[in-house]
Amino acid sequence: LFKSGTTMEDLWEEIEERLITSDIGVQTTMDIMENISKKFPKISNPDQLKAVLKEEIISLLNTQTAAPEKATAKPHVVMIVGINGVGKTTTIGKLAAKSSDEGKKVLIAAADTFRAAAIEQLVIWAEKAGADIVRHRDNADPAAVAYDGVEAAVARGKDIVFVDTAGRLHTKISLMEELKKIRRALSKKIPDAPHEVLLVLDATTGQNALSQVRLFNNAIGVTGIALTKLDGTAKGGIVVSICSTFDIPLKYIGVGEQLEDLHDFDPALFADALF
Amino acid sequence: NLSERLDSVFKKLKGHGKLKEKDVEDGLKEVRIALLEADVHYKVVKKFINDIKERALGQEVMKSLTPGQQVIKIVNDELTKLMGASHEDLNLSGPVPIPVMLVGLQGSGKTTTAGKLAVLMRKNGRKPYLVPADVYRPAAIKQLKKLGDQLDVPVFPSDAKKDPVKICREAVKKARKEGYDTLILDTAGRLHVDEELMTELVRIRDAVHPSDILLVADAMTGQDAVNIAKSYDEILDIGGVVLTKMDGDARGGAALSIKAVTGKPIKFIGVGEKLNQLEPFHPDRMASSILG
Ligand SMILES: Nc1nc2c(ncn2[C@@H]2O[C@H](COP(=O)(O)OP(=O)(O)OP(=O)(O)O)[C@@H](O)[C@H]2O)c(=O)[nH]1
Ligand SMILES: Nc1nc2c(ncn2[C@@H]2O[C@H](COP(=O)(O)OP(=O)(O)OP(=O)(O)O)[C@@H](O)[C@H]2O)c(=O)[nH]1
Ligand SMILES: [Mg+2]
Ligand SMILES: [Mg+2]
């Protein structure tokens, strides 16, 4: 980017291409470019432009809503949701391991009772992460598993519970109703539960991610986002419009398929990677 | 939507009499935005707009009483042409047992599609054999085994400690012995930039010579679709694509990007999680989905 001999117009076009191919989206790209040319009408140096762009993106990524308070409830209940195949189950494995490493007692509720071998997959992750797991049989009521999971966590003095749910498209009304039912089951056992609702998004997803955030948030309220598969070539730029539109914090990024491949989100590093 | 936006672009001209080139260019700007919002790749959009510019500046638009609708018609025609003439089926040629190989990124829907293809093949009078070749993902082999059991389709008893190349070779031998005429090889999801794992796919291909290699890709993939498809095609020479999760509200611009950059046909679309939810791809329906 910004090789010597480029005119300012070429530079702006190069920037537009970079932003759009990062999945930042047309409208957000136009807004960013308009903002920058308004704030800095005299910009003539590529390095200056790059720095200003990064700052603009970081400011869009810094949501007003602070990330949820340090977990004080016991157990702290986290519900994991998202569309099919984005990495929910794997992310729970990673989060459970992280919590175990921090000395917390972890329990996982296998509330995906629908997809083939979903429970078996989670059992393996629970073992890797040193967490207990509560499961029923295939096709059991997911809300019942969620409820039993929290009940077991209370009985066993667990610090944190992760509730895995089946992947579902945000446009499927009956499946979104099921998610509401699971959420209600959690609050039946602990009135403030779930204390966190983590929406998992795939970094290779384009503009459809906005629709996913909107509908999951409308249905059950989303408190944080995990963006997976950033170890590929996708830039995940869609989070820029998500953070500025919905003011929901991006908490974690997934960068691989192993237990340790989860990092806290860092807006500066993310903005750097875009350029 | 695009139709309304184009109508408003051209409505401003109702009083000005003759349509000018600049007006059509403004209309094409709206088309460009619509395609980018549908996740079509930046460079694919640039080329597409350039290619249709000549026709858009021709008589059919300039002389029309409804230039907005004419532009939409041109875009729809050209998109449909780009997406392919008609449905292209699985390539099942060569001596039995014929292997079909499913490849693609993590979570795109390969294992589920394997089950769906088994249903389709059996409907067409074939005897499919499911082969779990994913030895990495926890419970992946069990997942395909469960699907096979649901469908009463035989599944090769893969051992997760074995090399996937060896698994596929042994599966071919077993299929030949048991009289199954088609093998469906379900491979582990992998990044197109993972050299070691992409090489594993080449080794599987060279060991069993699949008659068709299908890239299973998510319909809601964004700009990265071009990178994924290009790499997979360059490394493996894919036969076609299955676009999954088309039952959502993604516009599916990835379909256009993938077709434009590889030239390979989209053969099927996944329209749900159930094993009967696989449909043949129709270029014209995709074109109108992308346009929104
Ligand atoms: N490269 C990479 N792969 C990932 C990442 N996170 C998850 N995966 C892979 O993505 C695939 C799907 O992960 P799952 O955890 O099964 O996804 P899910 O959302 O639970 O899927 P469903 O329950 O079927 O909706 C698996 O192959 C994972 O290994 C990541 O950060 N990077
Ligand atoms: N709604 C919908 N879901 C689908 C479709 N195809 C697959 N899925 C779902 O997507 C998720 C991932 O499917 P898998 O078949 O496990 O994907 P995969 O490519 O084998 O994943 P890896 O082996 O981890 O790379 C599952 O929840 C499937 O039920 C589809 O066409 N529509
Ligand atoms: Mg899962
Ligand atoms: Mg699979």
Side-chain angles (χ1 to χ4, degrees):
Chain A
L1 191 69
F2 309 153
K3 31 193 186 326
S4 67
T6 318
T7 65
M8 273 319 274
E9 181 164 337
D10 287 342
L11 203 53
W12 279 108
E13 173 153 354
E14 212 172 321
I15 291 196
E16 183 193 60
E17 178 172 346
R18 179 63 62 105
L19 293 178
I20 290 183
T21 56
S22 302
D23 284 316
I24 284 188
V26 181
Q27 192 54 51
T28 307
T29 294
M30 300 203 289
D31 293 345
I32 289 175
M33 290 173 61
E34 187 171 333
N35 269 351
I36 292 198
S37 46
K38 272 211 200 95
K39 282 194 217 157
F40 307 94
K42 298 275 175 52
I43 262 193
S44 57
N45 161 353
D47 290 329
Q48 232 185 345
L49 184 51
K50 196 170 170 183
V52 153
L53 258 170
K54 281 196 197 160
E55 280 314 308
E56 183 72 13
I57 289 176
I58 291 174
S59 72
L60 289 170
L61 290 169
N62 280 324
T63 49
Q64 303 314 316
T65 317
E69 296 292 315
K70 264 257 151 276
T72 48
K74 186 162 163 143
H76 182 76
V77 180
V78 185
M79 194 177 166
I80 314 285
V81 303
I83 67 160
N84 309 73
V86 294
K88 297 177 292 301
T89 303
T90 307
T91 299
I92 287 180
K94 296 171 181 177
L95 286 170
K98 191 166 179 292
S99 299
S100 292
D101 289 346
E102 292 168 1
K104 299 210 181 88
K105 303 211 212 76
V106 188
L107 186 141
I108 298 174
D112 176 357
T113 58
F114 169 75
R115 206 212 67 215
I119 297 174
E120 288 88 332
Q121 180 187 11
L122 195 53
V123 165
I124 293 172
W125 279 111
E127 186 176 346
K128 289 203 228 213
D132 279 5
I133 184 161
V134 162
R135 52 175 295 188
H136 291 186
R137 55 186 21 200
D138 285 354
N139 296 313
D141 175 11
V145 183
Y147 184 92
D148 288 355
V150 178
E151 190 168 60
V154 171
R156 301 178 204 178
K158 296 292 182 178
D159 299 303
I160 188 164
V161 186
F162 294 103
V163 182
D164 192 13
T165 61
R168 67 204 65 217
L169 292 185
H170 46 301
T171 46
K172 307 224 158 143
I173 306 210
S174 59
L175 295 182
M176 296 307 280
E177 285 304 311
E178 178 186 83
L179 213 53
K180 290 182 194 172
K181 183 161 178 268
I182 296 173
R183 192 200 157 104
R184 280 197 299 274
L186 293 173
S187 58
K188 265 202 209 110
K189 186 64 202 170
I190 295 181
D192 288 345
H195 304 95
E196 285 186 58
V197 176
L198 192 66
L199 174 65
V200 182
L201 298 176
D202 186 327
T204 65
T205 304
Q207 300 308 302
N208 192 253
L210 286 162
S211 177
Q212 294 173 30
V213 176
R214 178 169 299 114
L215 295 188
F216 273 94
N217 193 37
N218 286 351
I220 55 167
V222 173
T223 64
I225 292 173
L227 185 68
T228 62
K229 309 180 196 172
L230 269 175
D231 45 319
T233 50
K235 299 291 187 178
I238 194 63
V239 296
V240 176
S241 6
I242 290 175
C243 290
S244 50
T245 308
F246 297 98
D247 204 40
I248 297 175
L250 174 51
K251 295 197 64 185
Y252 307 106
I253 58 171
V255 293
E257 302 187 71
Q258 307 308 326
L259 212 57
E260 61 274 10
D261 294 331
L262 190 77
H263 300 313
D264 289 337
F265 174 64
D266 179 333
L269 286 181
F270 187 87
D272 269 344
L274 287 178
F275 294 102
Chain B
N1 64 25
L2 181 62
S3 182
E4 295 162 345
R5 282 194 257 179
L6 284 178
D7 281 346
S8 74
V9 165
F10 290 113
K11 190 174 270 133
K12 302 193 225 107
L13 326 160
K14 276 272 149 68
H16 305 197
K18 203 155 182 304
L19 202 58
K20 289 189 242 69
E21 258 195 35
K22 164 102 186 26
D23 305 319
V24 174
E25 291 185 348
D26 286 348
L28 288 181
K29 281 206 184 93
E30 290 300 328
V31 174
R32 174 176 177 266
I33 291 177
L35 292 175
L36 288 173
E37 286 178 340
D39 290 323
V40 182
H41 191 268
Y42 187 88
K43 291 207 171 106
V44 173
V45 173
K46 198 169 193 183
K47 179 167 189 309
F48 180 77
I49 298 290
N50 244 346
D51 291 351
I52 67 167
K53 199 169 193 173
E54 192 175 335
R55 189 174 159 194
L57 291 172
Q59 291 312 301
E60 71 191 294
V61 175
M62 301 308 270
K63 288 264 159 78
S64 169
L65 291 170
T66 55
Q69 292 316 308
Q70 276 309 113
V71 171
I72 294 233
K73 177 171 183 315
I74 291 173
V75 175
N76 226 315
D77 286 353
E78 297 296 325
L79 271 183
T80 305
K81 245 194 249 158
L82 234 175
M83 295 309 309
S86 57
H87 169 61
E88 268 213 45
D89 221 342
L90 273 180
N91 183 358
L92 296 173
S93 53
V96 297
I98 301 174
V100 171
M101 189 175 169
L102 298 181
V103 301
L105 253 58
Q106 291 89 346
S108 63
K110 297 174 291 300
T111 304
T112 309
T113 301
K116 293 176 178 182
L117 282 175
V119 170
L120 181 64
M121 288 182 184
R122 201 170 42 188
K123 237 191 234 142
N124 294 335
R126 306 190 71 92
K127 301 208 198 77
Y129 193 42
L130 287 167
V131 183
D134 178 354
V135 303
Y136 309 104
R137 169 174 155 153
I141 295 172
K142 185 156 253 168
Q143 183 184 359
L144 191 59
K145 176 82 176 90
K146 282 202 171 183
L147 294 184
D149 291 347
Q150 280 174 31
L151 297 173
D152 196 20
V153 167
V155 184
F156 179 77
S158 302
D159 175 356
K161 293 193 232 69
K162 283 228 172 104
D163 169 13
V165 180
K166 211 159 183 292
I167 289 174
C168 292
R169 270 211 202 94
E170 290 180 12
V172 172
K173 291 203 190 103
K174 192 142 205 288
R176 190 172 289 127
K177 187 157 160 283
E178 308 281 332
Y180 307 127
D181 55 25
T182 331
L183 298 124
I184 302 170
L185 312 176
D186 177 25
T187 66
R190 67 205 65 209
L191 298 175
H192 49 299
V193 290
D194 187 326
E195 281 198 39
E196 191 176 337
L197 285 182
M198 291 306 288
T199 303
E200 177 186 277
L201 290 180
V202 175
R203 289 177 39 234
I204 294 176
R205 182 197 63 188
D206 294 348
V208 302
H209 311 291
S211 157
D212 212 337
I213 301 179
L214 296 175
L215 171 63
V216 179
D218 200 316
M220 54 194 84
T221 308
Q223 298 287 307
D224 204 37
V226 142
N227 302 324
I228 299 166
K230 198 157 181 288
S231 297
Y232 265 88
D233 189 35
E234 283 177 351
I235 295 174
L236 295 170
D237 188 15
I238 63 179
V241 178
V242 178
L243 211 57
T244 61
K245 308 177 202 172
M246 282 287 292
D247 43 317
D249 59 349
R251 302 249 302 261
L256 181 60
S257 305
I258 292 174
K259 181 70 171 50
V261 92
T262 64
K264 300 295 168 71
I266 297 181
K267 299 194 172 185
F268 300 99
I269 55 173
V271 292
E273 297 192 66
K274 303 212 184 71
L275 297 176
N276 57 4
Q277 291 175 317
L278 186 76
E279 294 176 359
F281 175 74
H282 290 295
D284 54 344
R285 285 186 218 162
M286 193 77 231
S288 38
S289 162
I290 292 176
L291 282 183

